[in-house]
Amino acid sequence: MVTKSRIQNSILNIVTGLGGYIINTVLGFVCRIVFIRCLTAEYLGISGLFTNILTMLSLAELGIGNAIVFALYKPLAIKDESKIASLMRYYAKAYRIIGIVVAIFGLCMIPFLGVVIKDPPNIKENLYIIYLIYLFNTSSSYFFSYKSSLIMADQKNYIVTGLNYIITTLQSMVQMVYLLITREYMGYLIIQTIGIFTYNLIISHVANKQYPYIRNRDILPLDKKERKSLTSNIKALTIWKLSGLLVNNTDNIIITYFSGLVTVGLSSNYTLLSTTLSSLLNQIFNGITASVGNYNAIESNNKKVQLFNNINLLNFWLFGWATIGIIVLSEDIVKLCFGANYVLPFNIPFIIGINFYMVGMQDAVWTYKNTMGLFRQGRYLLIVTAALNLIFSILLGNKWGLFGILLATSISRLVTNIWYDPYVVFKYGLNISPKIYYKKYIYFFIILMITLLVNVYLCSFIQFNNILNLVEKFIICIIVPNLIFLTIFYKKEEFKYFLQILNKMRFSFNKLLKR
């Protein structure tokens, strides 16, 4: 019964995650089009900049959430309500402190907004009031949403995800109608605040109802040993995640400094596609993490290596295919949805696609790194990644503008975690030489570049209207990359492995229909 319950929860989590994400993404994309049609590019730049600044301020949370969720798995499995309540009380106290810290540091950032935004945007609203609304939305969430972690740790992520998508969908629909009627940005923000606050209150109520014991008054505090263990994990996870946030969330600030808010808005139309695809594909890899962890705990080293190779091929196929779509289709999508004035040179979607591929190709490595508990190895190197990204962004951004800043991100990743994380997994986790991985990584990249050239060449003959161009290029990007990948990999053991999984799934589905 326990196994069946886990399977059922996993299916619900994946289906809810993928289905809800697709629906919400489409609606969000439509909402963005309405946003751009109703408001100027300055508003888009303000949204991107303030979101990045507040994400940077949220560094205080790094590690705590993951460490607590990890600590909750065993107590939930054995139904140790006392331990769960103790962990949640510790979690609640930590998150209240974080919320206050974020609010204080956010207020301290106000005098520096004029330094980052050299040219004040041509808007009628007060820039500082807009920033304060963003700050309130971020800091207030810490006082409620931590309870969602308990629900997710209990394998019921579908509750959190489903509720989030329902609230976000309703919020987006109201925002679109409001913009079309009033074309007022302030009301748009207030609707967003109401949506966030509503979600936080509901998810807190759900957690209180399903786990009433977390509200008991006589909850015992965690003992010293448990607090020390949690602190150790938090430190390791904080350092491990730090550079990722710094690398991913400093670009808009630097772009604003060198090129202005309008360029942030223009580039965000392109990065929207890559972040959307990344989040969608990550739903798949997040769904297999627990299974990989179980597999690595009981199987031989040879089987672990084989499974890694299988996942790595899937990793390349999905992210390689998506990369080609980003590079080839971005210009046509932006032109059709936002207008020709929002189109950037080809080198911008190309470098965005390369950054997308470099991060995406790490998913197999990171899945193994996390499930093997290899948090401490290389944790300080990640700080180097962030530092190099900042240095290269300033140097190259001053010379080449937006392209230079995006190129700096690629370089900083390439010289640090792109090679080191696989090294850690293979040397300390799989106990074999990482040269095998490096050779395959280069092999995959060569295949990607050849496939990209073929697609660009074929699409260069398409010269019709905007809609027809996009449709025909889209068809080419679906058929050609998969045909090339299939020709190259169909005899590989890794490909046969996924064929067997598909056959098993088809058999199970047919058996279910006969019932």
Side-chain angles (χ1 to χ4, degrees):
M1 292 299 291
V2 174
T3 303
K4 184 177 180 182
S5 176
R6 287 173 182 168
I7 293 172
Q8 289 173 340
N9 284 330
S10 296
I11 292 172
L12 281 171
N13 290 339
I14 294 171
V15 171
T16 306
L18 284 174
Y21 182 80
I22 292 170
I23 294 171
N24 205 50
T25 298
V26 172
L27 187 62
F29 194 68
V30 175
C31 187
R32 189 180 184 86
I33 294 174
V34 173
F35 186 99
I36 290 173
R37 299 295 186 187
C38 295
L39 300 171
T40 62
E42 280 87 353
Y43 288 105
L44 199 62
I46 289 169
S47 177
L49 176 64
F50 287 171
T51 299
N52 271 215
I53 290 174
L54 293 171
T55 303
M56 292 287 292
L57 291 176
S58 298
L59 283 172
E61 187 271 344
L62 281 180
I64 295 178
N66 285 19
I68 295 289
V69 169
F70 179 77
L72 282 169
Y73 285 142
K74 186 175 179 180
L76 282 167
I78 62 176
K79 302 186 184 303
D80 187 347
E81 295 182 357
S82 176
K83 178 59 67 64
I84 295 169
S86 297
L87 286 166
M88 289 305 295
R89 173 163 289 188
Y90 180 88
Y91 199 7
K93 183 178 179 180
Y95 260 42
R96 289 191 191 102
I97 294 172
I98 291 169
I100 294 170
V101 169
V102 169
I104 292 172
F105 275 94
L107 292 172
C108 293
M109 281 291 297
I110 291 177
F112 299 98
L113 292 180
V115 178
V116 177
I117 306 173
K118 293 187 295 184
D119 300 319
N122 184 25
I123 60 173
K124 63 181 180 179
E125 295 87 358
N126 186 294
L127 190 66
Y128 296 100
I129 292 177
I130 293 174
Y131 174 76
L132 287 173
I133 293 174
Y134 273 91
L135 178 60
F136 174 78
N137 291 345
T138 300
S139 59
S140 63
S141 294
Y142 288 107
F143 292 86
F144 299 96
S145 61
Y146 69 91
K147 292 182 180 178
S148 63
S149 297
L150 175 58
I151 301 173
M152 291 188 289
D154 200 21
Q155 303 180 65
K156 296 176 182 177
N157 194 40
Y158 56 88
I159 295 176
V160 176
T161 305
L163 178 61
N164 180 52
Y165 286 139
I166 290 171
I167 297 295
T168 306
T169 298
L170 293 173
Q171 172 190 305
S172 298
M173 292 173 68
V174 175
Q175 284 178 313
M176 284 190 288
V177 173
Y178 180 84
L179 282 179
L180 289 169
I181 294 173
T182 67
R183 297 178 182 268
E184 293 286 339
Y185 183 64
M186 193 61 72
Y188 171 91
L189 276 184
I190 292 172
I191 294 169
Q192 181 175 306
T193 301
I194 294 171
I196 293 172
F197 204 70
T198 301
Y199 167 78
N200 288 333
L201 286 177
I202 294 175
I203 203 68
S204 178
H205 173 73
V206 171
N208 290 339
K209 188 174 181 179
Q210 293 205 3
Y211 314 96
Y213 49 85
I214 65 174
R215 303 181 68 189
N216 292 342
R217 294 184 178 181
D218 54 345
I219 296 174
L220 297 174
L222 293 174
D223 61 41
K224 186 176 180 180
K225 183 179 179 181
E226 289 171 324
R227 291 199 303 270
K228 185 177 180 181
S229 176
L230 270 175
T231 302
S232 178
N233 288 336
I234 288 169
K235 287 180 180 178
L237 287 166
T238 298
I239 296 171
W240 185 72
K241 285 190 171 183
L242 180 63
S243 82
L245 257 174
L246 291 174
V247 169
N248 294 328
N249 292 283
T250 53
D251 282 356
N252 276 353
I253 298 173
I254 298 171
I255 292 168
T256 301
Y257 182 80
F258 282 110
S259 304
L261 280 170
V262 173
T263 303
V264 174
L266 294 174
S267 64
S268 67
N269 291 329
Y270 285 82
T271 55
L272 174 65
L273 178 60
S274 63
T275 53
T276 299
L277 286 172
S278 179
S279 297
L280 180 63
L281 295 178
N282 282 334
Q283 299 285 339
I284 298 171
F285 287 92
N286 290 340
I288 67 173
T289 299
S291 297
V292 173
N294 179 267
Y295 191 90
N296 286 337
I298 60 176
E299 294 294 346
S300 66
N301 203 61
N302 287 337
K303 288 187 176 181
K304 292 178 188 177
V305 174
Q306 183 59 53
L307 180 63
F308 177 88
N309 291 335
N310 296 338
I311 297 174
N312 201 34
L313 175 61
L314 178 67
N315 206 165
F316 166 74
W317 197 305
L318 293 176
F319 278 92
W321 180 23
T323 298
I324 292 168
I326 290 169
I327 295 173
V328 176
L329 300 176
S330 287
E331 179 179 331
D332 294 276
I333 293 174
V334 169
K335 188 182 295 183
L336 179 64
C337 297
F338 308 121
N341 292 333
Y342 288 84
V343 172
L344 294 171
F346 177 77
N347 63 348
I348 300 302
F350 177 79
I351 195 63
I352 288 174
I354 294 300
N355 277 327
F356 168 85
Y357 176 79
M358 291 174 71
V359 174
M361 273 301 290
Q362 293 287 90
D363 272 6
V365 171
W366 287 335
T367 298
Y368 263 62
K369 193 170 186 285
N370 290 336
T371 56
M372 289 180 165
L374 302 171
F375 300 121
R376 299 179 62 83
Q377 288 81 355
R379 60 194 182 279
Y380 295 114
L381 183 67
L382 298 175
I383 302 298
V384 178
T385 306
L388 288 176
N389 181 60
L390 183 61
I391 293 169
F392 288 140
S393 291
I394 293 172
L395 295 175
L396 300 181
N398 190 42
K399 186 174 183 180
W400 292 321
L402 176 60
F403 175 76
I405 294 169
L406 297 174
L407 178 62
T409 304
S410 299
I411 295 172
S412 62
R413 285 174 176 150
L414 185 63
V415 299
T416 54
N417 57 310
I418 290 296
W419 70 269
Y420 188 78
D421 283 345
Y423 173 82
V424 168
V425 169
F426 275 74
K427 182 175 178 61
Y428 299 106
L430 299 175
N431 300 311
I432 59 174
S433 173
K435 291 180 181 178
I436 300 171
Y437 175 85
Y438 299 144
K439 289 178 181 178
K440 187 161 288 187
Y441 191 94
I442 295 170
Y443 173 63
F444 282 155
F445 188 74
I446 292 171
I447 293 173
L448 176 67
M449 288 296 102
I450 293 172
T451 308
L452 174 63
L453 288 173
V454 172
N455 276 265
V456 171
Y457 175 74
L458 292 175
C459 290
S460 67
F461 293 103
I462 299 174
Q463 300 293 334
F464 301 103
N465 60 60
N466 288 348
I467 296 177
L468 199 56
N469 281 351
L470 181 58
V471 170
E472 293 195 8
K473 289 181 181 180
F474 184 74
I475 293 172
I476 289 173
C477 288
I478 288 177
I479 296 174
V480 175
N482 286 301
L483 192 60
I484 293 174
F485 293 166
L486 184 63
T487 303
I488 295 173
F489 298 117
Y490 81 98
K491 288 186 177 180
K492 301 289 185 181
E493 290 300 319
E494 295 91 334
F495 182 76
K496 293 177 182 178
Y497 170 81
F498 288 107
L499 281 181
Q500 291 173 0
I501 290 179
L502 289 174
N503 287 331
K504 289 179 180 178
M505 290 175 62
R506 185 178 62 180
F507 175 78
S508 299
F509 184 71
N510 290 336
K511 188 176 180 181
L512 185 63
L513 288 177
K514 290 178 181 179
R515 290 182 180 178

